[in-house]
Amino acid sequence: MRHRSLFLTLLSATIVFGAWEIAGRVPVSFAFPTFLESMAAFWVLIVEGTLFTAYAETLKPLVVGVTISAFLGIGLGLWIGLSEKIDWLISPIFVVMQTAPLAALIPLLVMAYGIGLTSKVFVVCIMAMPVIVLNTSGAVRNTPASLKEMGHAFLGSRSDIILKIILPAASPVIFAGLRLGISAGFIGAILSELKITPTGVGDIITFSRSIADYPTMYAAIMSIILLAVLFLNVLERIEIFLFGGNNKGYVSE
Amino acid sequence: MTKSTTNIEHAVTVRNVHKNYGDVQALENMSLDFPRGQLTSLLGPSGCGKTTLLKIIAGLLPATSGEIIVNGTPVTGPGPDRAFVFQDFALLPWASVLRNVAFGLELRGVAKSEREAIAEKYIANVGLAGFENSFPHELSGGMRQRVGLARALSVDAQVLLMDEPFSAVDEQTRRKFQEDLLGLVKNENKTFIFVTHSIEEAVYVSDQIAILLPRPSRVSEIIKPSGFRHKSADHIRRDPEYLDIVDNIWASLRSYVE
Ligand SMILES: Nc1ncnc2c1ncn2[C@@H]1O[C@H](COP(=O)(O)OP(=O)(O)OP(=O)(O)O)[C@@H](O)[C@H]1O
Ligand SMILES: [Mg+2]
């Protein structure tokens, strides 16, 4: 089973990278480097240490923003899901946040908070939080009523019912929201570096594009994707650790 | 004096209970006594308010008016004196059979080793020994129902509220369960309130049968089969009194079906 999934991963990676290599050799566009050129540039970024200094910058708004979004998002989602009044009051904000054109909001953020870390954290949060909040609140609201009733009948306190019934029941959907939210947070972090001030990885992208060093630009983009995949894997581990076998399907008619 | 004698006689008293869901009147002026240590069935057509009455007794739903008295105290919410067996089982899908059965005790703060020992005993009692570490999705409907039953038994409440606990099992298993239930009533010294659709089942297991009318529901008749209770399981189903009661109930319910 494990071997097979590893094999499939390798197979799909080979297909994607092979197609990239071929498309780069054709070439599709002179601004589209081959896979091997990009990997070479990636190697240079690592050896010269540029990538690490860049990530030291980029990770700051990313980690701060994603952490805030995760904790605040799940907390708010829980609160919204448990109370209809709060839902009515707060949910619309996140629906608007999710649909707002972020690029148009950035100048406003810069005006209010300057070009420093605060604005970038805001961008990450605006990208990451809505889906976490909306998924959490939806999942909490959809906890089977009969399970809550059972907890009540067997004398569970309100916190028992939340911790032992509602959260575990909602956890698969909450984690799906976290995955989407964190991916969006990555996009937000890079977007903020491209649109506010070019620092970190955003700087590598902007600079290498300006001097037409496309392999380096693609290497930088690749590194983000790689990091995001790594992050999501860690998240999956956390989910399995916290809620082991919660994906057991629902058994009630 | 009168009060204390009724308390000893009746574990649960339902007095003038009305229940409205918005415009829908589910129960109308329902009054009913549940004798201690006996099994009372609620029998009536679908949608007549049996689950509603059971949940009001459990303290899960407020009555619109009227009162429920359990062991002399009016019900204001769920309590340790009552345990519920749910029509849809209400098992935690992510928890093993052992944790599900022990869950009522877990919510009461009983230590892990102690509650698991109790749960194991009741798992064996309902015939699920060996399935302690299975998950609900790995069990058949009838087995899930037994998990719900074991959970209710393990909190050792005096009153057991059972909402169609045998609805998901085949006829053979059902007969086996009915016999087991008679054993429980005899040995556990608990008061059972039992909802069923089946006339035969009600007559077979009950000390008292309350026949409910369709919405808005009242008690139309109370029947107390007594003549064949002492007979062995096989003989009951051939007992003339048993057959007569089944026929009579069918005669009085038939008009509502037509
Ligand atoms: N939450 C609710 N809101 C509105 N109406 C309800 C609600 N729950 C039950 N009812 C109504 O109250 C009536 C009684 O419902 P109840 O579930 O008590 O019936 P029942 O006798 O248990 O039926 P069954 O034998 O099919 O389980 C039904 O007509 C139903 O439509
Ligand atoms: Mg019902």
Side-chain angles (χ1 to χ4, degrees), chain A residues 2-253:
Chain A
R2 246 194 121 75
H3 285 291
R4 205 173 132 202
S5 80
L6 183 68
F7 171 73
L8 285 177
T9 314
L10 286 178
L11 184 69
S12 74
T14 314
I15 292 173
V16 170
F17 293 142
W20 179 359
E21 182 68 25
I22 292 167
R25 278 170 195 265
V26 168
V28 178
S29 147
F30 84 98
F32 189 69
T34 66
F35 170 64
L36 292 177
E37 282 167 355
S38 306
M39 287 312 286
F42 190 58
W43 183 245
V44 171
L45 282 178
I46 289 178
V47 173
E48 289 180 352
T50 329
L51 202 60
F52 302 108
T53 31
Y55 270 105
E57 271 308 306
T58 304
L59 280 178
K60 265 187 251 165
L62 182 63
V63 168
V64 174
V66 161
T67 311
I68 293 177
S69 304
F71 284 94
L72 202 62
I74 291 178
L76 273 174
L78 197 59
W79 202 31
I80 292 172
L82 290 174
S83 152
E84 250 163 63
K85 259 191 223 128
I86 303 294
D87 182 20
W88 181 84
L89 208 66
I90 300 185
S91 277
I93 299 174
F94 289 98
V95 175
V96 169
M97 244 164 102
Q98 199 176 29
T99 49
L102 185 61
L105 287 179
I106 288 181
L108 293 178
L109 281 173
V110 172
M111 260 195 319
Y113 301 104
I115 57 169
L117 187 62
T118 320
S119 289
K120 290 177 182 172
V121 169
F122 259 101
V123 173
V124 173
C125 288
I126 291 175
M127 290 290 289
M129 203 132 92
V131 66
I132 297 176
V133 171
L134 296 176
N135 264 41
T136 305
S137 64
V140 166
R141 204 171 307 117
N142 286 331
T143 309
S146 72
L147 289 186
K148 288 185 272 183
E149 201 165 44
M150 183 274 291
H152 197 43
F154 285 98
L155 308 179
S157 64
R158 189 158 165 77
S159 64
D160 276 336
I161 291 175
I162 292 173
L163 290 176
K164 293 183 172 175
I165 294 174
I166 293 177
L167 274 181
S171 72
V173 179
I174 293 179
F175 272 89
L178 274 178
R179 271 190 284 279
L180 292 171
I182 289 175
S183 309
F186 270 82
I187 299 172
I190 301 305
L191 205 63
S192 73
E193 287 185 333
L194 294 176
K195 298 269 174 190
I196 299 177
T197 39
T199 50
V201 183
D203 185 35
I204 300 181
I205 295 174
T206 317
F207 180 72
S208 54
R209 192 177 59 177
S210 71
I211 60 166
D213 180 4
Y214 295 111
T216 306
M217 181 176 121
Y218 273 82
I221 295 172
M222 267 269 289
S223 73
I224 300 163
I225 297 174
L226 213 67
L227 190 70
V229 170
L230 220 69
F231 228 78
L232 293 182
N233 267 311
V234 171
L235 186 71
E236 201 179 316
R237 294 282 150 79
I238 296 176
E239 179 178 4
I240 291 173
F241 173 74
L242 282 179
F243 294 104
N246 278 21
N247 271 320
K248 297 271 183 217
Y250 281 88
V251 279
S252 58
E253 34 245 62

Side-chain angles (χ1 to χ4, degrees), chain B residues 70-90:
Chain B
V70 175
N71 292 324
T73 326
V75 166
T76 52
D81 47 4
R82 284 151 289 150
F84 207 105
V85 181
F86 290 86
Q87 191 168 4
D88 63 356
F89 324 142

Side-chain angles (χ1 to χ4, degrees), chain B residues 50-51 87 163-164 195:
Chain B
K50 303 181 294 295
T51 299
Q87 191 168 4
D163 197 355
E164 297 189 37
V195 169

